Amino acid sequence: MDVRELLRRSGGPVTRDRIRDDLAALGLGPGDTVMFHTRLSAVGYVPGGPQTVIDALLDAVGPTGTLMVSCGWNDAPPYDFTTWPSPWQDALRAHHPAYDPELSEAEHTNGRLPEALRRRPGAVRSRHPDASLAALGPSAAALMADHPWDDPHGPGSPLARLVALGGRVLLLGAPGETMTLLHLAESLAQAPGKRFVTYEQPVRVDGVRLWRTFHDIDSTDGAFDYSRVVPEGQDPFAVIVRAMLDAGIGRSGAVGAAESFLFEAGPAVEFGVRWIEEQLNAPA
């Protein structure tokens, strides 16, 4: 989409002040700890791009607030490299760089904002290579510390700590399927057929590069088979988020040209767990 079309959709440039004011109208305020997901093109033409959005978010939460994003690792080795011919596996194991929280790029499919935030001075990124998150603000270190190696979306994870801190989730023009917090609901939910993955990635522990095996819910293809309860072609998380909004959980409003939503993290997870258990434990 070209700049003129973005300008037309947003009624002119979406400036830092405009984003800040729209966020305040949505309900984001000083002292908030908020995990955000953004589709920048939905907002309109933002002079300065990701840095302007981050500045506006910081304006909204103030010096006592904290921002948090999902990063992942863009250059992680493929999950299935253990099926490659042995010489290829040996070469990868010998030469693939270890995950580095300060240098390893955030997953590109998460958009431009996570990479921009994790590179900000003072930002803290968690140690888990595949499920890494980053945060900026007074609560950043507490949120990111000792990210569990296994079940990294579950208890003790930065997602669980966001809930414990009374945090919030902002979908800034981003669709419901981007709500990473619902992986915590999947981790906690008790329903048949929960799916798990085991994979290897190189990390650095006490200065030593080593390959570690990780165990987690399947956050790529889904921790559960939702096909019985989710219409074909729809994303399960998007369906859960819509049901959440229909139940009166969350607030909606425009930020620039983007339809945006703000949720309390605790009630969102509770709703997600309840929805998964009720839907998947019901008789077929």
Side-chain angles (χ1 to χ4, degrees):
M1 190 175 295
D2 63 26
V3 171
R4 283 186 176 274
E5 176 60 17
L6 289 173
L7 285 164
R8 185 195 63 76
R9 288 179 54 234
S10 56
V14 183
T15 62
R16 174 176 173 174
D17 288 353
R18 181 176 169 187
I19 296 172
R20 178 203 63 208
D21 293 345
D22 287 349
L23 290 170
L26 184 60
L28 194 66
D32 281 346
T33 297
V34 60
M35 182 175 186
F36 66 93
H37 305 271
T38 305
R39 178 167 288 175
L40 190 58
S41 61
V43 179
Y45 175 68
V46 179
Q51 300 298 343
T52 296
V53 175
I54 292 172
D55 285 337
L57 284 159
L58 289 171
D59 291 341
V61 301
T64 59
T66 298
L67 306 181
M68 176 169 150
V69 290
S70 180
C71 289
W73 181 16
N74 192 68
D75 298 304
Y79 287 160
D80 67 349
F81 85 88
T82 53
T83 66
W84 294 358
S86 294
W88 298 1
Q89 291 188 46
D90 293 344
L92 187 78
R93 290 185 185 280
H95 298 289
H96 198 294
Y99 166 73
D100 186 328
E102 294 186 3
L103 297 178
S104 299
E105 287 188 23
E107 179 65 51
H108 292 177
T109 57
N110 289 333
R112 298 169 63 194
L113 271 294
E115 178 67 9
L117 184 129
R118 72 135 193 115
R119 297 180 67 171
R120 281 269 176 139
V124 181
R125 189 176 182 187
S126 68
R127 69 180 184 176
H128 197 287
D130 193 65
S132 73
L133 299 100
L136 178 65
S139 297
L143 285 164
M144 297 297 113
D146 300 324
H147 193 165
W149 294 121
D150 295 315
D151 197 14
H153 295 98
S157 69
L159 299 177
R161 290 174 184 165
L162 178 72
V163 171
L165 287 175
R168 314 177 87 179
V169 175
L170 170 68
L171 301 183
L172 181 55
E177 56 260 34
T178 63
M179 190 188 277
T180 303
L181 184 67
L182 288 176
H183 288 311
L184 173 58
E186 290 185 316
S187 176
L188 298 174
Q190 299 298 313
K194 186 180 289 192
R195 300 187 293 213
F196 298 90
V197 292
T198 300
Y199 54 92
E200 296 179 60
Q201 291 185 345
V203 294
R204 195 168 294 280
V205 178
D206 297 327
V208 178
R209 175 185 172 275
L210 55 85
W211 283 84
R212 194 187 191 287
T213 299
F214 299 90
H215 185 69
D216 190 15
I217 58 170
D218 188 345
S219 61
T220 300
D221 295 324
F224 297 97
D225 179 0
Y226 293 100
S227 60
R228 183 169 62 87
V229 297
V230 172
E232 185 176 357
Q234 295 189 33
D235 184 272
F237 280 13
V239 171
I240 295 172
V241 168
R242 176 47 57 188
M244 203 182 298
L245 291 164
D246 291 344
I249 298 173
R251 302 178 59 171
S252 63
V255 178
E259 183 181 29
S260 301
F261 303 95
L262 184 65
F263 302 88
E264 304 300 325
V269 171
E270 291 171 5
F271 183 92
V273 171
R274 186 167 61 252
W275 189 96
I276 292 168
E277 292 182 343
E278 289 177 354
Q279 295 291 325
L280 298 184
N281 287 319

